[in-house]
């Protein structure tokens, strides 16, 4: 396998279209050899598959799947800016989980994104990470993820 796009095809993964920004920002920006994405929500065809807090309206298992959707949206933003095959490595993932009171499983939720990056990029997908519980996310999303890659 010679390219990340070939790996996506091998896994049967098609990157979605870039999610339209909800406010005054761009989906991704490059500075030198780094690409930073804006926070990506788990949009599917322009809609959230669920709203609410993890540990209440949204199960941790569902939220883990949504975090994988977020990372695909982040990769789509990177792809639109510089091309997926220009990625040298994944550097950092920052995950935010809208959490019900007492929910402490944020790392498990964000594993959905981390595990998918490992599947796609192998060792180049190993990254630093934060998994943060928050009281609310934009438009009621259960999960939001930012991605930093080196190109």
């Amino acid at each position: 396998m010679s390219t990340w796009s070939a790996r996506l095809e091998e896994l049967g993964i098609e990157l979605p279209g870039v999610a339209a920004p909800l406010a005054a920002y761009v989906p991704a920006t490059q500075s030198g050899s780094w690409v930073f994405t804006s926070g990506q929500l788990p949009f599917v065809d322009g809609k959230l598959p669920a709203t609410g807090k993890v540990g209440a309206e949204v199960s941790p298992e569902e939220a883990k799947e949504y975090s994988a959707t977020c990372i695909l949206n982040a990769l789509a933003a990177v792809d639109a800016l510089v091309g997926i095959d220009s990625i040298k490595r994944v550097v950092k993932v920052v995950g935010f989980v809208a959490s019900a009171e007492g929910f402490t499983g944020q790392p498990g939720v964000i594993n959905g994104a981390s595990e998918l990056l490992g599947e796609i990029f192998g060792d180049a997908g190993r990254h630093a990470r934060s998994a943060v519980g928050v009281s609310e996310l934009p438009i009621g999303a259960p999960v939001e993820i930012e991605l930093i890659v080196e190109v």
Side-chain angles (χ1 to χ4, degrees):
M1 169 188 49
S2 59
T3 64
W4 302 127
S5 54
R7 179 65 179 148
L8 287 171
E9 187 175 328
E10 180 183 302
L11 292 170
I13 297 171
E14 187 174 326
L15 292 178
V18 178
L22 298 175
Y25 60 90
V26 295
T29 189
Q30 182 176 4
S31 180
S33 62
W34 306 96
V35 174
F36 301 80
T37 70
S38 295
Q40 299 293 314
L41 303 179
F43 284 122
V44 176
D45 297 325
K47 297 182 174 131
L48 288 177
T51 58
K53 295 187 179 177
V54 180
E57 299 85 6
V58 178
S59 75
E61 296 77 20
E62 290 170 315
K64 184 177 179 182
E65 291 176 21
Y66 299 148
S67 76
T69 302
C70 291
I71 212 65
L72 289 176
N73 289 335
L75 289 172
V78 172
D79 185 47
L81 185 67
V82 297
I84 193 87
D85 293 324
S86 68
I87 294 175
K88 290 182 182 174
R89 68 177 311 244
V90 177
V91 176
K92 184 157 187 188
V93 169
V94 180
F96 303 94
V97 180
S99 301
E101 187 174 334
F103 179 74
T104 60
Q106 294 83 7
V109 168
I110 304 305
N111 275 350
S114 295
E115 291 167 3
L116 183 55
L117 289 169
E119 267 190 81
I120 296 168
F121 296 101
D123 284 344
R126 294 175 54 89
H127 54 273
R129 187 181 92 175
S130 299
V132 181
V134 298
S135 61
E136 298 288 339
L137 286 170
I139 64 173
V143 182
E144 179 175 354
I145 293 187
E146 298 175 5
L147 176 67
I148 302 170
V149 298
E150 181 182 7
V151 295

